[in-house]
Amino acid sequence: KKKKKKKKKKEKSTMLGRFIKADEGRLGVRFYHSLNLGLVGLAPVAFLAPKTLSFPLDMALAFALPLHGHIGMNYVITDYVPKFISKAATGPARIVQAGITFLTAAGLLKLNLTGPGITGTILKLWSSSSK
């Protein structure tokens, strides 16, 4: 008798599902690598650019930095949560990470919209204060 192989049902992937499982799939990997290359160029340009360009560059950083961290931390979650906690904890850990990503993006957006911006804040840390 031949055993029939059960076909796995392919789950429809939603935008939120792809965000939560950001390290899975070819598109996620390609996007992560493109984001890395973009940040390598964007970060120095944001600090060297004239003041008129700082706001749009800060806004780009406000989305790119949390997204980069989110995808990278999903790789860490995939590798280490099943080893040190349990495989069942992977899903909840990814949801917590998504929350951290949203809060980080919200904080950076608030800094850009109501404060000196990301680059302005970091440049203030490097400037000498004469009080």
Side-chain angles (χ1 to χ4, degrees):
K1 292 181 181 180
K2 290 184 180 179
K3 291 184 180 178
K4 289 185 179 181
K5 290 183 181 179
K6 290 183 180 179
K7 288 185 180 180
K8 284 187 179 179
K9 285 186 178 179
K10 193 171 186 177
E11 294 179 22
K12 273 197 167 180
S13 183
T14 64
M15 187 70 110
L16 181 61
R18 279 184 264 160
F19 179 75
I20 290 176
K21 296 180 179 182
D23 62 330
E24 293 182 0
R26 188 178 296 165
L27 180 64
V29 172
R30 214 175 290 178
F31 183 72
Y32 183 63
H33 290 289
S34 298
L35 191 58
N36 286 342
L37 290 174
L39 282 170
V40 164
L42 182 63
V45 168
F47 289 104
L48 300 174
K51 279 275 195 204
T52 55
L53 290 176
S54 66
F55 181 73
L57 292 172
D58 280 351
M59 292 303 282
L61 286 171
F63 289 102
L65 290 171
L67 194 53
H68 170 74
H70 176 75
I71 297 171
M73 283 306 297
N74 266 278
Y75 283 114
V76 173
I77 289 168
T78 298
D79 289 345
Y80 294 105
V81 168
K83 290 179 186 175
F84 294 109
I85 300 173
S86 76
K87 192 171 183 173
T90 303
R94 287 177 189 261
I95 291 170
V96 168
Q97 179 56 43
I100 291 169
T101 300
F102 283 121
L103 288 174
T104 303
L108 291 175
L109 286 171
K110 182 177 181 190
L111 180 66
N112 287 340
L113 296 172
T114 63
I118 296 169
T119 53
T121 301
I122 294 173
L123 289 173
K124 279 185 180 180
L125 292 173
W126 288 338
S127 68
S128 60
S129 60
S130 55
K131 289 186 178 180

